Amino acid sequence: GAVVSQHPSWVICKSGTSVKIECRSLDFQATTMFWYRQFPKQSLMLMATSNEGSKATYEQGVEKDKFLINHASLTLSTLTVTSAHPEDSSFYICSARLPRGYEDIQYFGAGTRLSVL
Amino acid sequence: AQSVTQPDIHITVSEGASLELRCNYSYGATPYLFWYVQSPGQGLQLLLKYFSGDTLVQGIKGFEAEFKRSQSSFNLRKPSVHWSDAAEYFCAVGTSGTYKYIFGTGTRLKVLA
């Protein structure tokens, strides 16, 4: 149980175009999902917290107009990279929060590698 | 400030040898602690977690970790490493209220045949 699916796994796009990445919790409902960015050989940097039915909360320094997040259902959050540029190329990972009693665990998707040409 | 430190960026061990990956945290309240493993180009898989209770926790793939409050540590151990354990390992602390995780910088494990 607790499977998180992320799609696509790899996307290549031209500079100036927009790219949408989907994050789905397959076997549980997730009121909260998280979006991370990971640079090569580095740790995960939290970009934003996605809450179902409300606006996302962005971390300091993350452009909310560049990285649009929508959490329209309890199983789906999307990240849209708008007007992508080469510096947006990175590995993006989502996670879904699953509270179980007093435990609170994030389950991660497999990630999306974005390459902007 | 809340932080997680993994002092070892790279560790190389021979297959069959024991392993210990270090993790130190700084957090004002009772920490929720996690170890995740990431294979190249993949997401993160939960190895084990600590919320409360027994300070020695068992995880998947034969890993265990011990929470030591006095040392602010949560080191990951495995008695005998397999070649398939080669990966990146991340320690994380969960923050109450916001549910966010703070990740360490990771330790890359290389296993020699």
Side-chain angles (χ1 to χ4, degrees):
Chain A
V3 178
V4 176
S5 172
Q6 194 170 336
H7 178 81
S9 57
W10 195 311
V11 58
I12 301 173
C13 70
K14 293 182 178 180
S15 185
T17 61
S18 295
V19 173
K20 180 183 286 188
I21 302 169
E22 293 186 347
C23 180
R24 293 180 184 274
S25 54
L26 298 186
D27 49 4
F28 65 100
Q29 294 183 330
T31 56
T32 305
M33 293 184 175
F34 301 90
W35 287 96
Y36 296 84
R37 183 172 181 176
Q38 186 180 31
F39 292 100
K41 300 185 180 181
Q42 294 188 26
S43 189
L44 283 75
M45 181 191 79
L46 179 65
M47 298 174 65
T49 303
S50 170
N51 297 298
E52 188 268 336
S54 65
K55 291 183 178 180
T57 304
Y58 291 83
E59 296 299 301
Q60 190 172 7
V62 177
E63 300 176 62
K64 61 180 181 181
D65 295 330
K66 157 71 78 175
F67 300 101
L68 299 179
I69 293 172
N70 184 278
H71 194 154
S73 78
L74 287 172
T75 60
L76 174 64
S77 175
T78 60
L79 169 68
T80 300
V81 183
T82 62
S83 187
H85 291 284
E87 57 266 29
D88 299 322
S89 298
S90 192
F91 193 59
Y92 294 87
I93 306 177
C94 72
S95 71
R97 173 181 165 242
L98 177 58
R100 282 179 171 153
Y102 65 89
E103 295 191 350
D104 204 293
I105 299 172
Q106 290 184 30
Y107 292 91
F108 287 79
T112 296
R113 184 162 303 283
L114 171 63
S115 296
V116 184
L117 304 179
Chain B
Q2 302 158 357
S3 64
V4 177
T5 302
Q6 293 180 248
D8 304 304
I9 299 174
H10 294 100
I11 282 186
T12 300
V13 299
S14 297
E15 190 170 22
S18 63
L19 171 71
E20 182 170 26
L21 303 183
R22 296 182 290 164
C23 173
N24 293 96
Y25 67 89
S26 173
Y27 186 64
T30 300
Y32 303 144
L33 297 161
F34 307 87
W35 274 100
Y36 285 87
V37 60
Q38 183 181 34
S39 297
Q42 299 296 313
L44 276 69
Q45 181 183 24
L46 179 65
L47 284 177
L48 44 78
K49 60 191 184 305
Y50 171 79
F51 284 88
S52 66
D54 193 345
T55 56
L56 182 64
V57 294
Q58 303 296 320
I60 62 172
K61 303 184 179 185
F63 285 94
E64 66 177 27
E66 186 171 11
F67 169 56
K68 293 184 177 179
R69 185 185 298 274
S70 62
Q71 299 178 18
S72 297
S73 69
F74 189 55
N75 294 348
L76 181 71
R77 299 193 294 251
K78 186 170 184 177
S80 177
V81 171
H82 188 263
W83 63 266
S84 60
D85 293 324
E88 185 93 21
Y89 291 81
F90 291 97
C91 179
V93 61
T95 60
S96 61
T98 65
Y99 313 113
K100 297 179 184 179
Y101 284 7
I102 300 169
F103 281 90
T105 50
T107 297
R108 185 170 297 273
L109 174 65
K110 182 177 180 179
V111 180
L112 302 177

